[in-house]
Amino acid sequence: MSTSNSSMSGLYLYVFIGLFLILLSCTKVYALENKAQHDERLRINFYQSSCPNAESIARQTLLSNLLLDPTAPAALLRLVFHDCQVQGCDGSILLQSTSSITSELVSERNFGIRRLDFIDRIKAALEAACPNTVSCADIIVMAASNSVAIAGGPNIPIETGRRDTRFSSNLMADKELPSATISVSDLLQIGGTKGLDTGDSVAILGAHTLGVGHCINFANRLQPQDPSLSPPLAAALNLICRLPAPATNLTFAANDLTNLIFDNQYFRDLQGGRGLLTIDSELMKDPRTQGFVNRFAADQNFFFQKFSEAFVKLTRSNVLTGTQGEIRNNCKAVN
Ligand code: HEM
Ligand SMILES: *[C@@H]1O[C@H](CO)[C@@H](O)[C@H](O)[C@H]1NC(C)=O
C-alpha cells in the first residue's frame, strides 16, 4: 500500500512537473511570440538601441564616396527597385552565385546595375561600428533614400528592420523585373501588388529623373523612329547610339535634361516628347496616367510628396522581419 502510495505520489509528481514544464514552455513561447510580434513590424529608427548611429553612418559613407562617382545616387535608387521587385526588399540582388543559388545579376533585366561597391563600403562601415546588426536589405533602402535627398529630392523618413534572404534566383529576376517596353497596364498592375495606386506608380517612375539608359534599352524607338519621340532628341539619340551597330551595350543617354538632380524635370520632358524609354513616353499617352504627369510637371512639391509615399510603400512590401532570414555579415554571401 505504501509502495503503491509512493508510486502514486511519484506519478503525481511527474504529472505535476510535466504540467509545470508545459506551462513554462507555453509562457516561453508566448514571450517569444510577443517579442517576434514586437520586432516583426518595420519601424522608424529600428536600430535606435542596437546601432544608434546606423543611419548617419550610412549617409556619411555615401556622401564621402560621392566624389568617386557623382552619378552613384542614380545607380543606388535603381538598385532598391530591383531588389524590392524580386522576392521583396531582402538583399537578394547582392548575393553572388554559388552551387545552390544563381545571382539575380545574371538576368538581362539587371543590365546596367552598378556601384555595388558603394553598398560594400556602407556595409563595411556599419560592420565596424555594429557587427552583425544592420541588414543588407536595410542598407539598400537607406542608400536609395539618401541618394534621393542628396540629389535634391525629398527627405524620406524610412522604416528599417528588414532582414536578408538566404536565396536568390536569376529566373525570378527574369520574371519579375519589367522591360523598358512594359505597358501602362502592366506597370499599374505591378504597382498594385505593392499597394501603389495610379498616382503612386507614376510618381515612383519619376525616379527616372536621375541617371541614364543604355541604347540597348531604347534602340527600339529609333528604328523605326517612334513618332512620339521629339525629333531633336531622336536625332541626338541616333548620334549617340550610332545605329545600326553592336555597341548599344556601351552607349547611353541621360534619362532627363537634369539627370544629376532629383527634380520634376522628368515630367516636363515627358510633356515635350523627351521620355527616353518606351514606358516613359507611354505615361504621357495613356489617359489614366497623363493627368498625373501634368500635375507632377506643374507642382514639384506634389511630386515629392507622392514619390515619398510610393517609396515607403515599395520598400515596405513583402519584407523579411523578426526572426525570418538573417543579418548577413557579407552582403554578397549567406552566412
Ligand atoms: C516599372 C517600370 C520600370 C522600368 C520598365 C524601368 C526600366 C529602366 C531601364 C531600362 C533603365 C535603364 C538601365 C540602363 O540601361 O542602364 C532604368 C534606369 C533607371 N531606373 Fe528604372 N524602370 C522602372 C521603374 C523604376 C523605379 C520604380 C525606380 C526607382 C524607384 C527606377 C529607377 C531607375 C533609375 C534611377 C535609373 C538610372 C540608373 C542609372 O543611371 O544607373 N526605375 N530603368
Ligand atoms: C548586351 O547586353 C545584353 C543584356 O545583358 C546581353 O544579353 C548581350 O549579350 C550583351 N551584348 C554584348 C555584345 O555584350
Side-chain angles (χ1 to χ4, degrees):
M1 189 68 191
S2 95
T3 5
S4 117
N5 230 355
S6 77
S7 75
M8 276 299 274
S9 58
L11 186 67
Y12 283 134
L13 189 66
Y14 279 123
V15 169
F16 180 73
I17 290 175
L19 275 174
F20 180 75
L21 283 178
I22 289 170
L23 249 161
L24 196 73
S25 65
C26 282
T27 34
K28 222 177 162 183
V29 167
Y30 178 74
L32 275 177
E33 266 178 357
N34 239 2
K35 185 170 180 292
Q37 263 169 18
H38 184 60
D39 284 344
E40 223 151 280
R41 283 175 310 132
L42 297 182
R43 57 178 189 272
I44 301 281
N45 236 332
F46 179 87
Y47 298 108
Q48 191 160 36
S49 53
S50 59
C51 189
N53 296 325
E55 303 207 8
S56 61
I57 291 170
R59 190 180 176 112
Q60 281 311 315
T61 311
L62 173 54
L63 271 173
S64 59
N65 279 283
L66 219 52
L67 279 178
L68 289 176
D69 181 357
T71 75
L76 298 172
L77 180 54
R78 184 175 183 224
L79 185 66
V80 80
F81 172 54
H82 281 220
D83 187 32
C84 296
Q85 184 60 25
V86 186
Q87 299 183 166
C89 317
D90 59 3
S92 56
I93 195 169
L94 301 176
L95 288 176
Q96 292 184 343
S97 297
T98 64
S99 53
S100 54
I101 59 178
T102 315
S103 167
E104 290 176 7
L105 295 175
V106 172
S107 168
E108 278 181 22
R109 293 287 161 80
N110 273 321
F111 176 80
I113 288 288
R114 56 196 183 91
R115 297 268 69 132
L116 296 177
D117 55 324
F118 274 58
I119 300 294
D120 294 340
R121 291 198 189 89
I122 297 168
K123 177 64 169 172
L126 285 167
E127 283 301 301
C130 327
N132 308 321
T133 306
V134 183
S135 69
C136 300
D138 276 343
I139 289 173
I140 292 176
V141 175
M142 291 191 282
S145 86
N146 287 330
S147 291
V148 169
I150 288 167
N155 262 300
I156 309 173
I158 50 139
E159 300 163 314
T160 40
R162 293 167 195 78
R163 294 176 58 92
D164 299 323
T165 183
R166 297 190 179 92
F167 182 75
S168 75
S169 148
N170 62 318
L171 298 179
M172 206 168 316
D174 288 342
K175 186 163 161 276
E176 303 294 341
L177 293 171
S179 93
T181 55
I182 188 181
S183 69
V184 170
S185 293
D186 285 345
L187 173 76
L188 298 181
Q189 192 268 326
I190 288 177
T193 62
K194 296 169 170 35
L196 273 68
D197 61 21
T198 303
D200 295 327
S201 290
V202 177
I204 202 77
L205 218 62
H208 288 172
T209 180
L210 292 182
V212 297
H214 285 76
C215 292
I216 190 178
N217 280 317
F218 57 83
N220 64 303
R221 304 187 66 203
L222 302 178
Q223 275 187 350
Q225 192 159 317
D226 182 339
S228 60
L229 192 58
S230 97
L233 181 63
L237 295 179
N238 269 306
L239 271 179
I240 292 172
C241 300
R242 289 187 196 87
L243 288 169
T248 51
N249 284 13
L250 300 174
T251 46
F252 55 84
N255 274 342
D256 80 358
L257 285 174
T258 57
N259 74 332
L260 285 176
I261 301 169
F262 193 102
D263 56 11
N264 64 345
Q265 182 64 44
Y266 168 76
F267 296 104
R268 289 198 294 274
D269 280 359
L270 297 189
Q271 290 175 319
R274 292 187 304 273
L276 190 63
L277 307 175
T278 300
I279 182 60
D280 298 327
S281 77
E282 288 299 317
L283 290 184
M284 191 58 202
K285 291 192 221 157
D286 193 295
R288 291 169 292 180
T289 51
Q290 188 183 60
F292 284 104
V293 172
N294 290 331
R295 285 173 71 188
F296 295 148
D299 184 349
Q300 178 161 282
N301 286 335
F302 182 54
F303 164 51
F304 282 9
Q305 182 201 319
K306 287 300 279 181
F307 181 86
S308 304
E309 287 169 21
F311 186 92
V312 170
K313 288 180 187 174
L314 171 72
T315 55
R316 186 187 275 164
S317 72
N318 199 15
V319 293
L320 302 174
T321 55
T323 53
Q324 299 170 313
E326 63 180 12
I327 304 294
R328 251 178 247 154
N329 305 318
N330 168 358
C331 290
K332 294 173 180 160
V334 298
N335 291 343

